[in-house]
Amino acid sequence: MPETAGSARRLQLPASPVVVRDLRAGETVLLNGYLYSARDAAHRRLVEALRRGETPPIPLEGQFIYYLGPTPPGPGRIIGSAGPTTASRMDPYTPELLAAGVLGLIGKGSRSPAVREALVKHGAVYLGAVGGLGALLSRRIVECRVAAYPDLGPEAVRHLRVEDFPATVIGDAHGGDWYEEARRRYRLLD
């Protein structure tokens, strides 16, 4: 069971499927441990490798992927601004990555019905990080190294270690969708 920190739950990464299934839409988490970053081009390559029956250059089983293309680091920094990328750009690739064992995704914005169904089918979660806070979020990344596809520059896959990286569960493994819930709540106020 994840440890609580105020109203947020601390989640150790990589997380177990049992812990991930326990998360609910609307819950705030603080991520600690290791995850990968990847954007559109890297997703395309990962899925192409899977389709060819090749082993991807990073482990996928049980991993979390942050949709991130950081800016260059400033003096004395290991990473530049590290805000989330719009998640829907990864929607065409996400069901296949979830089928390959990815348990968590971090980005901003809504997901397609196919992705929401795949979260339920594979017991995974989609977390939202706040866009526009890239400089602050970068301070929660304490280690960073290129793990795959260095030719993609800022979009290369990176292996990151995070400490108390804040996120909100947007889509859970039970079909909960925090954005839909918020819309329902606001409609009740009309």
Side-chain angles (χ1 to χ4, degrees), residues 54-69:
E54 299 171 0
T55 301
I58 60 168
L60 298 176
E61 188 73 32
Q63 299 299 320
F64 275 54
I65 297 177
Y66 182 24
Y67 303 149
L68 165 68

Side-chain angles (χ1 to χ4, degrees), residues 43-44 46-48 50-51 60-61 63 65 67 87-105 110-126:
H43 273 69
R44 183 173 39 259
L46 290 168
V47 168
E48 287 171 353
L50 290 171
R51 290 176 182 166
L60 298 176
E61 188 73 32
Q63 299 299 320
I65 297 177
Y67 303 149
S88 61
R89 293 171 35 195
M90 273 49 77
D91 283 0
Y93 313 107
T94 299
E96 288 176 87
L97 292 175
L98 294 174
V102 170
L103 284 178
L105 313 158
S110 297
R111 304 310 299 264
S112 70
V115 169
R116 292 195 307 266
E117 289 171 19
L119 292 172
V120 173
K121 179 178 181 181
H122 300 291
V125 292
Y126 167 55

Side-chain angles (χ1 to χ4, degrees), residues 32-181:
N32 289 277
Y34 291 91
L35 54 88
Y36 289 93
S37 71
R39 285 182 37 160
D40 325 32
H43 273 69
R44 183 173 39 259
R45 287 188 187 180
L46 290 168
V47 168
E48 287 171 353
L50 290 171
R51 290 176 182 166
R52 289 190 303 265
E54 299 171 0
T55 301
I58 60 168
L60 298 176
E61 188 73 32
Q63 299 299 320
F64 275 54
I65 297 177
Y66 182 24
Y67 303 149
L68 165 68
T71 63
R77 305 282 305 149
I78 61 164
I79 194 167
S81 183
T85 297
T86 302
S88 61
R89 293 171 35 195
M90 273 49 77
D91 283 0
Y93 313 107
T94 299
E96 288 176 87
L97 292 175
L98 294 174
V102 170
L103 284 178
L105 313 158
I106 308 161
K108 65 178 180 181
S110 297
R111 304 310 299 264
S112 70
V115 169
R116 292 195 307 266
E117 289 171 19
L119 292 172
V120 173
K121 179 178 181 181
H122 300 291
V125 292
Y126 167 55
L127 308 177
V130 179
L133 294 182
L136 293 174
L137 292 174
S138 71
R139 297 186 184 282
R140 297 296 175 189
I141 299 170
V142 297
E143 289 179 26
C144 174
R145 70 171 177 80
V146 173
Y149 311 133
D151 60 299
L152 295 178
E155 291 196 34
V157 175
R158 286 172 168 72
H159 195 223
L160 308 173
R161 183 165 68 90
V162 296
E163 290 181 353
D164 285 347
F165 187 97
T168 301
V169 180
I170 303 300
D172 65 31
H174 308 280
D177 184 300
W178 186 239
Y179 293 146
E180 288 300 318
E181 176 61 27

